[in-house]
């Protein structure tokens, strides 16, 4: 990667005539750079329809679109000096900016009216576009995209089980039975579900190998096992003489040596090499399969002499290593067997899964990748697809490339490789940061970034740039990043980052992990021999997450009101709850954090969606709407009366029920009149007013009247914790 100054980096990176690969750290302005590149392309006359920008998420694609329109809007309305400065910041000289300004003023209208428009999408969005234009004979038209195909996978399992039940001696049945016996039902399903998730790579591998059986054989060859005999037979064929020499040396090596001598001698007499190997394994390896310590006693040392003693000690080490090697071969054979059966069963499950989806005319994201890969690999259809791509796109921009998976890169390369050294090949702009790859669970591979950089440098003459300066993070955060990544083997070429705002205050604290409590061995043993008919399992609760959440809450309390936050104008103020953002690697951790925050009366907003209607406050409003829609809904009325808006106690509800009416609304009206209760009379008056209003007011206006006339918010404030 080329090391250049910031201004030169902008000039090179935004030059429309160059292909560029930029590796930039977090907060360095990658999105600014990409959108500015789009602007520069439009300025030199590239048509909007000739531009293809691919990012990883739909949210990022929308952000790029919005920021481009913002930039173009600023250019259209800014003063002369502001517009010139805007263009100068994006790599133009003052003379170039002045000359380009008239065209820049009209770019917003040009982009908004462009047909076809700029393509700013995700990889999957791009794949969907490719499939929508596939030839009719490909059979890929008329499919709908369904992101959630889990139910189809359950159907596939049922179909596979039924098929195995009809053919119990079939290859798939034997494979599944082996997996169930070896791994158990739960782990077998988990393993095959993982296979389904990685089916794109498997199908590509099958295509490359020329079929399923060849693909399985190639995967077995990868284990590097070439053996006509079993590992046990190989071991004894090669080491039988060494074992006799070693056993003879142990005969007089103390009591333990005599015992080992007998064990080896017996092993050499056993015809079944697998049984014999068990004896030898115990002689040379511990229960953890580590080499046993070997020492000759003084008498044997004196008898054998220094040279012979050293040879016996070397022989011990060699035999330990030979036994371990045999075990490694056994592991490889077992893994190869597991791999074969898993691929056979997984491929059968995949066939059922794909058949069900084809019947329903649906595809998921992985299907998009697979089908586009097939199209570009098929000589019959590849030329058609590539011709359409070549005829349209002249500029390719790739954002967040560190989250690209191998199949996406394979598809992109299939298109770009077709150009060879053709001068008509498109220009490429690629930006990302391997350190920020967070989608490994979606098969993202950060190593692809370096491979793509080399590819574009060799085939497209791309300039490779790096930007290690962040505008987002304070210096203490950057220092921690440098310390962590400088010792990470996966980032051997890591370069230290710097902070543009070196004077920003910052702090990094690492809380101590809560360790799992050790279980007393006697307690564990007693629980293992319990009578399951008389005694329940006494399982220990793992409270580490709860304790860690409480630690986080304690630190938040210590920060709020005491830690100083610097405003944009340079002034300082005490930290507030709204200044704090909690990040976790997994969503499953958030539940414990939310409980701890709620118990501590700390206000927070969670990332969950769709939970609003489940809150008690929302259910109160829903109950009121149900009553207003149907005054005969007794349960809804009882719910409304118990809300903080009316605060009716159970005694009043019992008196309403005692009226004997099937309609509680009528009973409430009668009770208020009979008891001349001012409180109940006021409630009846309010409810009656809302019932009348509900006949003609829109829902929003009706709720506005409810909240106002019942002083709804203030009543709730007196009844709920301050944090809510």
């Amino acid at each position: 990667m080329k090391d250049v100054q910031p201004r030169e980096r902008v000039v090179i990176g935004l030059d429309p005539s160059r292909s560029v690969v930029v590796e930039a750290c977090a907060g360095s302005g990658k999105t600014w750079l990409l959108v500015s590149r789009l602007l520069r392309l439009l300025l030199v006359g590239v048509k909007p329809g000739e531009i293809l920008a691919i990012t990883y998420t739909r949210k990022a694609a929308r952000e790029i679109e919005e920021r481009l329109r913002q930039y173009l809007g600023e250019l259209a309305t800014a003063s002369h000096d502001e517009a010139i400065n805007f263009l100068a910041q994006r790599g133009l000289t003052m003379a170039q900016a002045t000359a380009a300004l008239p065209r820049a003023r009209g770019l917003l209208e040009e982009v908004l009216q462009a047909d076809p428009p700029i393509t700013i999408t995700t990889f999957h969005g791009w794949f969907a576009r490719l499939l929508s234009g596939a030839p009719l004979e490909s059979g890929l038209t008329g499919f709908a995209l369904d992101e959630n195909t889990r139910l189809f996978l359950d159907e596939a399992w049922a179909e596979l089980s039924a098929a195995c039940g009809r053919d119990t001696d079939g290859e798939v049945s034997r494979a599944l039975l082996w997996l169930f016996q070896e791994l158990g039902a739960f782990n077998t399903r988990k393993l095959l579900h993982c296979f389904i998730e990685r089916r794109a790579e498997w199908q590509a591998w099958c295509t490359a190998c020329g079929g399923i059986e060849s693909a399985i054989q190639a995967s077995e060859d990868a284990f590097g096992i070439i053996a006509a005999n079993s590992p046990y037979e190989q071991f004894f064929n090669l080491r039988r003489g060494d074992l006799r020499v070693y056993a003879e040396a142990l005969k007089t090596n103390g009591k333990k040596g005599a015992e080992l001598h007998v064990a080896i001698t017996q092993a050499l007499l056993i015809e079944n090499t697998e049984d014999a190997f068990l004896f030898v394994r115990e002689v040379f390896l511990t229960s953890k399969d580590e080499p046993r310590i070997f020492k000759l006693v003084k008498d044997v040392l004196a008898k054998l002499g220094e040279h012979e003693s050293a040879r016996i000690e070397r022989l011990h080490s060699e035999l330990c290593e030979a036994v371990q090697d045999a075990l490694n071969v056994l592991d490889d054979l077992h893994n190869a067997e597991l791999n074969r059966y898993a691929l056979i069963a997984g491929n059968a499950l995949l066939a059922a899964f794909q058949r069900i989806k084809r019947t329903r005319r649906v595809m998921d994201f992985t299907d998009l990748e697979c089908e586009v890969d097939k199209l570009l690999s098929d000589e019959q259809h590849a030329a058609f697809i590539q011709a359409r791509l070549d005829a349209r796109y002249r500029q390719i921009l790739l954002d967040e490339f560190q989250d690209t998976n191998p199949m996406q890169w394979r598809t992109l390369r299939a298109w770009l490789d077709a150009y060879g050294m053709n001068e008509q090949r498109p220009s490429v702009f690629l930006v990302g940061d391997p350190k920020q790859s967070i989608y490994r669970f979606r098969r993202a591979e950060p190593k692809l970034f370096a491979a793509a950089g080399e590819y574009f440098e060799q085939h497209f003459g791309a300039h490779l740039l790096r930007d290690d300066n962040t505008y987002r993070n304070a210096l203490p955060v950057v220092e921690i990043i440098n310390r962590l990544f400088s010792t990470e083997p996966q980032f051997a070429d890591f370069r230290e980052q710097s902070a543009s705002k070196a004077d920003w205050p910052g702090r990094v604290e690492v809380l101590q992990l809560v360790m799992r409590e050790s279980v007393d061995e006697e307690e564990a043993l007693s629980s293992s021999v319990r009578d399951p008919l008389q005694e329940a399992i006494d399982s220990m609760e793992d409270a580490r997450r709860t304790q860690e959440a409480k630690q986080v809450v304690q630190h938040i309390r210590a920060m709020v009101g005491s830690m100083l936050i610097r405003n944009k104008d340079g002034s300082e103020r005490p930290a507030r709850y709204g200044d704090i953002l909690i990040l976790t690697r997994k969503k499953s951790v958030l539940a414990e954090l939310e409980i701890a925050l709620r118990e501590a009366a700390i206000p927070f907003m969670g990332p969950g969606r769709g939970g609003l209607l489940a809150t008690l406050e929302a259910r109160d409003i829903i109950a009121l709407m149900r009553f207003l829609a149907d005054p005969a809904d007794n349960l809804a009325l009882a719910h409304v009366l118990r809300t903080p808006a009316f605060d009716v106690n159970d005694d009043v509800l019992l008196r309403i029920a005692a009226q004997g009416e099937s309609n509680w609304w009528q009973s409430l009206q009668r009770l208020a009149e009979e008891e001349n209760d001012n409180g109940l009379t006021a409630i009846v008056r309010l409810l009656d007013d809302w019932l009348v209003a509900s006949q003609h007011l829109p829902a929003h206006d009706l709720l506005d009247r409810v909240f106002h006339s019942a002083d709804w918010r203030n009543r709730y404030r007196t009844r709920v914790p301050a944090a809510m």
Side-chain angles (χ1 to χ4, degrees):
M1 293 284 180
K2 191 175 181 180
D3 191 8
V4 297
Q5 296 301 313
R7 175 64 185 178
E8 185 182 355
R9 186 162 49 242
V10 170
V11 171
I12 295 174
L14 300 185
D15 185 347
S17 65
R18 307 186 188 195
S19 290
V20 182
V21 174
V22 182
E23 181 180 342
C25 66
S28 59
K30 292 190 291 293
T31 303
W32 180 92
L33 199 65
L34 185 139
V35 179
S36 296
R37 171 91 176 189
L38 285 172
L39 174 62
R40 288 287 304 275
L41 292 174
L42 295 169
L43 272 177
V44 298
V46 176
K47 296 179 181 179
E50 295 177 341
I51 299 174
L52 170 64
I54 300 177
T55 188
Y56 194 74
T57 65
R58 284 175 287 193
K59 180 181 178 182
R62 299 294 78 78
E63 181 184 353
I64 292 171
E65 285 183 344
E66 292 171 4
R67 193 175 293 193
L68 177 61
R69 291 183 182 181
Q70 175 192 339
Y71 286 177
L72 297 181
E74 291 178 13
L75 281 174
T77 59
S79 66
H80 181 275
D81 291 343
E82 289 174 340
I84 294 296
N85 183 56
F86 184 95
L87 294 174
Q89 290 175 0
R90 285 155 178 80
L92 296 177
T93 64
M94 287 299 178
Q96 290 172 332
T98 302
L101 184 57
R103 174 166 176 75
R105 296 287 197 191
L107 283 180
L108 178 61
E109 181 179 2
E110 179 182 336
V111 169
L112 292 178
Q113 295 182 354
D115 186 20
I118 294 179
T119 302
I120 302 177
T121 184
T122 63
F123 263 109
H124 292 130
W126 182 50
F127 290 160
R129 289 169 184 257
L130 292 180
L131 289 183
S132 67
L136 290 175
E137 62 268 22
S138 67
L140 296 174
T141 58
F143 281 83
L145 181 63
D146 189 341
E147 299 180 31
N148 185 13
T149 56
R150 175 66 64 174
L151 292 178
F152 298 148
L153 187 54
D154 293 339
E155 288 186 43
W157 265 109
E159 184 178 308
L160 181 63
S161 300
C164 290
R166 293 189 297 269
D167 183 15
T168 55
D169 293 329
E171 183 182 45
V172 177
S173 298
R174 293 196 305 272
L176 269 179
L177 182 60
W178 189 94
L179 292 172
F180 284 143
Q181 291 174 336
E182 190 72 17
L183 306 177
F186 175 82
N187 287 327
T188 296
R189 287 182 69 102
K190 184 177 180 181
L191 174 66
L192 297 188
H193 281 190
C194 291
F195 173 84
I196 294 296
E197 292 174 359
R198 303 301 294 261
R199 64 187 183 275
E201 287 83 352
W202 165 245
Q203 291 175 329
W205 178 245
C206 285
T207 302
C209 294
I212 295 171
E213 186 57 39
S214 297
I216 295 176
Q217 185 60 51
S219 66
E220 290 182 351
D221 293 343
F223 285 98
I225 303 171
I226 304 175
N229 300 322
S230 74
Y232 307 113
E233 293 177 352
Q234 284 188 329
F235 174 80
F236 283 103
N237 288 342
L238 294 173
R239 294 294 180 174
R240 190 176 294 274
D242 292 335
L243 288 171
R244 288 195 180 98
V245 173
Y246 181 79
E248 187 65 24
L250 291 179
K251 185 187 299 184
T252 57
N253 195 49
K255 182 180 179 181
K256 184 62 177 179
E259 293 175 355
L260 296 178
H261 166 80
V262 172
I264 296 174
T265 303
Q266 289 179 341
L268 293 173
L269 296 175
I270 298 174
E271 293 185 6
N272 187 315
T273 54
E274 182 175 355
D275 294 338
F277 187 80
L278 294 177
F279 281 91
V280 175
R281 179 178 182 177
E282 291 184 2
V283 169
F284 292 100
L285 302 181
T286 66
S287 59
K288 295 182 179 180
D289 287 332
E290 297 174 349
R292 291 189 182 276
I293 297 174
F294 174 76
K295 289 183 179 180
L296 293 171
V297 298
K298 291 182 179 180
D299 293 344
V300 176
L301 283 171
K303 179 180 178 181
L304 295 176
E306 182 178 349
H307 178 75
E308 185 63 18
S309 298
R311 189 176 78 88
I312 296 299
E313 290 178 355
R314 285 196 305 272
L315 185 58
H316 171 83
S317 298
E318 291 173 2
L319 288 171
C320 288
E321 185 176 347
V323 174
Q324 288 180 318
D325 289 343
L327 291 177
N328 291 335
V329 173
L330 287 170
D331 286 340
D332 286 345
L333 288 173
H334 179 269
N335 291 335
E337 192 173 20
L338 171 63
N339 194 62
R340 166 172 279 273
Y341 288 133
L343 291 176
I344 291 172
N347 195 68
L349 178 63
L350 175 59
F353 184 49
Q354 298 294 74
R355 186 163 50 249
I356 291 171
K357 286 188 293 180
R358 282 196 301 271
T359 302
R360 311 291 171 81
R361 305 297 292 176
V362 299
M363 288 186 183
D364 58 19
F365 285 152
T366 304
D367 292 328
L368 292 178
E369 297 176 2
C370 294
E371 297 302 339
V372 171
D373 179 71
K374 288 180 183 177
L375 276 178
L376 293 177
S377 302
D378 188 332
E379 294 182 0
Q380 181 181 357
H381 300 132
F384 177 81
I385 296 294
Q386 288 173 340
R388 293 192 60 179
L389 291 171
D390 298 346
R392 177 169 180 183
Y393 298 120
R394 309 306 312 151
Q395 299 287 338
I396 303 173
L397 297 92
L398 303 169
D399 187 27
E400 304 291 0
F401 195 81
Q402 72 275 358
D403 290 319
T404 302
N405 70 47
M407 283 300 297
Q408 294 166 347
W409 173 233
R410 172 186 164 97
T411 301
L412 187 64
R413 274 200 59 172
W415 168 30
L416 299 178
D417 282 344
Y419 284 101
M421 298 308 292
N422 189 338
E423 293 182 358
Q424 298 301 316
R425 62 181 183 270
S427 294
V428 177
F429 178 82
L430 182 151
V431 63
D433 181 12
K435 299 185 297 301
Q436 295 184 66
S437 182
I438 60 174
Y439 287 97
R440 295 300 292 270
F441 65 95
R442 292 185 182 175
R443 310 184 351 260
E445 178 48 68
K447 293 179 182 178
L448 286 177
F449 192 95
E454 293 178 4
Y455 172 83
F456 287 122
E457 183 181 26
Q458 294 174 5
H459 298 275
F460 286 74
H463 294 257
L464 307 183
L465 304 175
R466 297 186 72 157
D467 188 351
D468 303 311
N469 185 60
T470 178
Y471 296 90
R472 179 186 305 160
N473 297 325
L475 187 58
V477 176
V478 172
E479 289 174 346
I480 288 294
I481 293 173
N482 291 337
R483 288 173 57 187
L484 287 175
F485 281 96
S486 62
T487 59
E488 179 60 42
Q490 185 176 352
F491 298 94
D493 60 343
F494 172 76
R495 293 175 16 154
E496 289 194 353
Q497 298 179 11
S498 59
S500 179
K501 306 294 185 180
D503 60 333
W504 276 8
R507 183 173 68 182
V508 176
E509 292 185 43
V510 179
L511 303 184
Q512 186 173 358
L513 286 174
V514 178
M515 306 304 293
R516 183 188 294 273
E517 295 182 4
S518 59
V519 181
D520 185 84
E521 293 184 4
E522 293 185 3
E523 291 181 0
L525 181 61
S526 64
S527 64
S528 64
V529 294
R530 65 184 175 82
D531 182 354
L533 299 178
Q534 302 292 331
E535 184 180 351
I537 297 177
D538 185 17
S539 59
M540 295 183 63
E541 181 181 0
D542 188 354
R544 288 177 295 170
R545 292 293 188 194
T546 301
Q547 295 176 32
E548 288 171 358
K550 290 180 178 178
Q551 282 188 13
V552 172
V553 167
Q554 290 173 2
H555 272 71
I556 291 175
R557 278 181 161 172
M559 292 165 61
V560 171
S562 59
M563 181 178 175
L564 294 179
I565 300 294
R566 181 175 297 178
N567 297 314
K568 291 183 178 180
D569 61 3
S571 61
E572 294 183 338
R573 61 169 175 80
R576 298 190 288 258
Y577 289 123
D579 298 320
I580 298 171
L581 174 67
I582 300 176
L583 299 176
T584 62
R585 291 187 64 184
K586 296 181 179 180
K587 287 185 177 180
S588 57
V589 181
L590 294 177
E592 294 291 346
L593 282 167
E594 290 180 355
I595 291 173
L597 291 168
R598 195 175 293 114
E599 290 178 348
I602 295 177
F604 68 91
M605 293 180 63
R609 296 290 183 268
L612 176 62
L613 296 182
T615 63
L616 184 58
E617 308 92 293
R619 290 203 300 266
D620 290 347
I621 298 295
I622 293 171
L624 176 62
M625 294 295 100
R626 286 176 176 166
F627 167 72
L628 296 179
D630 179 14
D633 190 336
N634 296 338
L635 184 59
L637 176 58
H639 185 149
V640 170
L641 294 176
R642 291 291 286 128
T643 65
F646 298 115
D647 206 16
V648 171
N649 57 36
D650 290 340
D651 181 61
V652 175
L653 294 180
L654 290 173
R655 298 209 306 274
I656 294 173
Q659 292 287 317
E661 293 282 351
S662 60
N663 187 312
W664 275 36
W665 170 232
Q666 295 176 358
S667 297
L668 175 62
Q669 291 173 305
R670 183 179 296 106
L671 184 64
E673 184 178 350
E674 290 175 356
E675 297 187 359
N676 196 24
D677 187 316
N678 292 334
L680 291 180
T681 301
I683 291 174
V684 169
R685 189 181 301 116
L686 266 179
L687 292 176
D688 190 55
D689 176 62
W690 297 344
L691 281 167
V692 174
S694 68
Q695 303 302 314
H696 59 85
L697 284 181
H700 182 275
D701 293 337
L702 177 61
L703 284 174
D704 187 62
R705 175 175 291 192
V706 166
F707 274 60
H708 175 72
S709 57
D711 197 18
W712 197 280
R713 290 189 178 86
N714 287 331
R715 287 178 178 270
Y716 268 78
R717 286 193 183 100
T718 63
R719 291 291 303 275
V720 300
M724 297 179 64

